[in-house]
Amino acid sequence: MSRFNNLGQAPTVVASGVVNSALDVYSARKLGKMQARFVRQLASDSVKMEYVQFLVDRFRILCEMIVSTTDVDPSSLGFQAMLKEGMAAYAKYDGNCKGSIKDPTTKQVIGDYFRDGRVENTTMPKETGLIWSTGCKNALDAARIAYLREDKDEDRFAVVRDQMTQLGNRDTLVRFALWGGIIFSVLIALKMQFRVIKATSPHKKKRHKKKHKN
Amino acid sequence: MLEIKGVGPVVGSKGLVSFTTIGAAIGTVIPGLGTLIGAAVGSVIDVAINWKDKKKAKRKMKKALQAALIQRYHNTIFYSALQRMNEAMFYLVELGLKPGTLDYDAALRKKLFSEIGYEGGCSVKLYGPPPDRPLIAHIDKEGKVIASSGYVTQDLPGQWKQACQELHQATLKAWLEMQADEINFKKELQKEDLDAQKSLITRVMVNAGAIILLVAYSKRQKKKLKVLNESV
């Protein structure tokens, strides 16, 4: 009887084994696919983040360029307008770190980025919002630093120029006075010398004698 | 479910005894058909439990992957805050504020409070961007982590204070270099002035010497002339 019992159990053991194995394989494949999709997403996110970082770098260079080639204050509206123009090929920059980034190939807007790190209307990863906002604010601060340094350099240059002018003026005055003194004393010396020569010349002595005889 | 440590579950499709076996054993009450039915019911339970486990594993993995993405986001917020702090600190130094002073810390707080939640004295209440504004970490002045999102990498909040202090040291160094540069500039100006003065004095001395010589010569000639006139 127990032999029959075992026989009765066998098909169900086999069937459940087959079903469970199939389930294992199916589940493993699903998990594998999920993992692969995740890895693909990470890679794609990484490319997108690198692109936004590239834009931030470009933005920073543009800021530095404007500061070094113009006198525009980085806190002014004029500076923002110049940035708007400079970034036009890559993004529709609205000023104050707000803008819409364009796809590098299709030139279509791929996301709206805000100063506070928000990112809207996009398939880009959320991190790109942080990369943009931090990079943008840092670039503007770096521009302000460069502007202050340039301002300081200009102030120093003015101080040096003033000092040089002052020293130059003093030098000219002293030179003039000294040369005046030298010329005057040379003239006096020459005058005295001529008088002495005149007094000691024999012709003069003869005339003197004649005068005394008469 | 009952489980032996290091061995695994006692009952279940992956356990020591499967439900198919238990069902078959119970089914032996009615020999033959009973075993078959019992084993069949048990195997259905085994498959169902296995399916449930797989679903659970899938859900767990999905959650882990999502958590990894959230962690990446929260870590980025953390690093962004430090990057932002770095540039802002150097900007304040450029404005002439000395790092480590109360004025400097107050200015830094004013600049960064709305941006990253900097509360002064290296204390921070770090939030993510709106609209959800998740709390990433709340760290007090002693560097103690009061609250954390739980997603940010575990040892990161603990390193905030050290990073903040290092930034302060770097900015202080920059400030000292700036002061040294200013002193050097002033010294150079003074040196230039002193050099010009020295050269002026030398010129005056030399020229004055020449003038004195010429005047002395003129006086001598005048005397000579007087003597000559008297002798005649």
Side-chain angles (χ1 to χ4, degrees):
Chain A
M1 202 62 190
S2 69
R3 240 182 270 155
F4 286 117
N5 280 347
N6 286 340
L7 271 175
Q9 194 185 343
T12 47
V13 168
V14 171
S16 76
V18 168
V19 172
N20 275 333
S21 301
L23 206 63
D24 284 350
V25 170
Y26 173 75
S27 172
R29 278 191 69 182
K30 240 196 152 179
L31 291 182
K33 265 186 189 171
M34 198 190 272
Q35 251 177 336
R37 206 165 46 230
F38 183 69
V39 170
R40 270 204 306 274
Q41 189 192 340
L42 287 183
S44 144
D45 283 359
S46 167
V47 171
K48 287 170 182 170
M49 284 192 262
E50 265 174 36
Y51 179 63
V52 175
Q53 187 58 55
F54 159 76
L55 287 187
V56 165
D57 291 344
R58 184 159 177 86
F59 188 80
R60 200 182 175 101
I61 290 167
L62 190 64
C63 285
E64 284 168 9
M65 230 163 70
I66 294 171
V67 169
S68 58
T69 52
T70 65
D71 274 338
V72 185
D73 184 348
S75 304
S76 69
L77 287 172
F79 191 83
Q80 296 290 336
M82 286 174 126
L83 286 175
K84 205 180 209 175
E85 213 174 290
M87 289 299 287
Y90 305 93
K92 195 180 148 288
Y93 183 66
D94 300 327
N96 200 26
C97 290
K98 182 181 174 289
S100 306
I101 287 178
K102 290 178 188 172
D103 185 292
T105 47
T106 61
K107 301 288 172 198
Q108 294 281 314
V109 170
I110 48 172
D112 299 328
Y113 287 77
F114 297 86
R115 187 183 167 81
D116 53 19
R118 244 181 320 143
V119 51
E120 286 175 4
N121 307 322
T122 186
T123 52
M124 302 281 273
K126 283 197 284 184
E127 285 83 352
T128 54
L130 295 167
I131 294 170
W132 168 257
S133 77
T134 307
C136 173
K137 285 183 274 191
N138 281 350
L140 289 176
D141 269 355
R144 284 186 196 111
I145 290 173
Y147 184 75
L148 284 171
R149 280 191 187 154
E150 246 178 46
D151 217 34
K152 202 187 275 175
D153 284 348
E154 272 171 28
D155 284 351
R156 280 187 178 183
F157 179 71
V159 168
V160 171
R161 195 187 52 206
D162 285 353
Q163 194 195 32
M164 296 301 258
T165 313
Q166 222 175 349
L167 290 178
N169 287 346
R170 194 174 67 183
D171 202 48
T172 313
L173 211 72
V174 169
R175 258 173 215 257
F176 193 74
L178 287 172
W179 276 106
I182 284 176
I183 289 166
F184 184 72
S185 43
V186 164
L187 284 174
I188 290 202
L190 280 174
K191 194 182 166 191
M192 297 314 290
Q193 187 64 25
F194 278 129
R195 275 188 178 182
V196 169
I197 291 167
K198 219 173 174 183
T200 52
S201 69
H203 176 70
K204 168 105 191 231
K205 275 181 183 173
K206 273 179 192 170
R207 273 209 305 187
H208 249 282
K209 276 178 186 172
K210 268 184 189 172
K211 249 186 191 178
H212 281 280
K213 269 182 188 175
N214 291 334
Chain B
M1 210 164 282
L2 196 64
E3 200 176 317
I4 299 169
K5 251 190 177 174
V7 179
V10 178
V11 187
S13 61
K14 297 276 187 277
L16 294 172
V17 186
S18 67
F19 281 104
T20 313
T21 316
I22 295 169
I26 295 166
T28 44
V29 179
I30 306 161
L33 198 63
T35 313
L36 192 69
I37 292 166
V41 171
S43 66
V44 167
I45 293 170
D46 272 340
V47 169
I49 286 174
N50 192 14
W51 183 71
K52 207 178 149 195
D53 284 349
K54 294 286 176 256
K55 224 174 167 185
K56 212 170 152 185
K58 192 181 156 191
R59 229 181 5 245
K60 211 171 156 186
M61 189 167 175
K62 212 172 175 179
K63 231 175 161 179
L65 296 181
Q66 272 172 347
L69 286 179
I70 297 171
Q71 188 183 51
R72 186 183 73 180
Y73 184 52
H74 284 200
N75 285 350
T76 311
I77 293 171
F78 189 88
Y79 289 126
S80 296
L82 278 175
Q83 280 175 348
R84 185 70 203 105
M85 208 168 150
N86 180 41
E87 200 76 47
M89 285 171 94
F90 279 103
Y91 173 58
L92 292 180
V93 165
E94 206 59 42
L95 286 177
L97 291 165
K98 185 185 175 185
T101 59
L102 287 174
D103 283 349
Y104 181 87
D105 208 45
L108 193 63
R109 185 186 182 278
K110 200 175 168 190
K111 189 166 173 62
L112 293 179
F113 183 73
S114 61
E115 283 185 26
I116 62 165
Y118 182 73
E119 294 180 321
C122 280
S123 161
V124 73
K125 216 173 195 175
L126 195 59
Y127 285 100
D132 44 340
R133 285 185 68 79
L135 174 76
I136 307 302
H138 182 195
I139 299 152
D140 71 1
K141 286 179 184 175
E142 274 73 47
K144 202 174 134 195
V145 183
I146 293 167
S148 164
S149 67
Y151 284 108
V152 68
T153 305
Q154 244 180 359
D155 54 339
L156 268 188
Q159 288 171 1
W160 172 270
K161 193 177 161 64
Q162 193 194 342
C164 177
Q165 280 174 340
E166 276 172 15
L167 283 179
H168 268 91
Q169 278 168 0
T171 43
L172 185 65
K173 197 178 157 207
W175 186 83
L176 288 170
E177 277 170 6
M178 219 170 82
Q179 297 305 309
D181 186 50
E182 193 64 36
I183 290 166
N184 278 343
F185 175 69
K186 278 181 184 161
K187 262 188 190 169
E188 260 174 47
L189 280 183
Q190 278 176 346
K191 192 179 169 280
E192 197 81 28
D193 203 36
L194 219 70
D195 284 351
Q197 234 169 21
K198 268 185 196 168
S199 103
L200 194 77
I201 289 167
T202 315
R203 186 175 297 141
V204 167
M205 299 282 269
V206 169
N207 287 291
I211 290 169
I212 288 167
L213 270 174
L214 283 167
V215 168
Y217 180 72
S218 300
K219 270 194 167 182
R220 184 182 163 272
Q221 295 298 76
K222 200 177 174 183
K223 262 184 198 172
K224 199 175 171 185
L225 195 67
K226 207 176 171 185
V227 171
L228 274 170
N229 283 338
E230 276 168 7
S231 66
V232 173

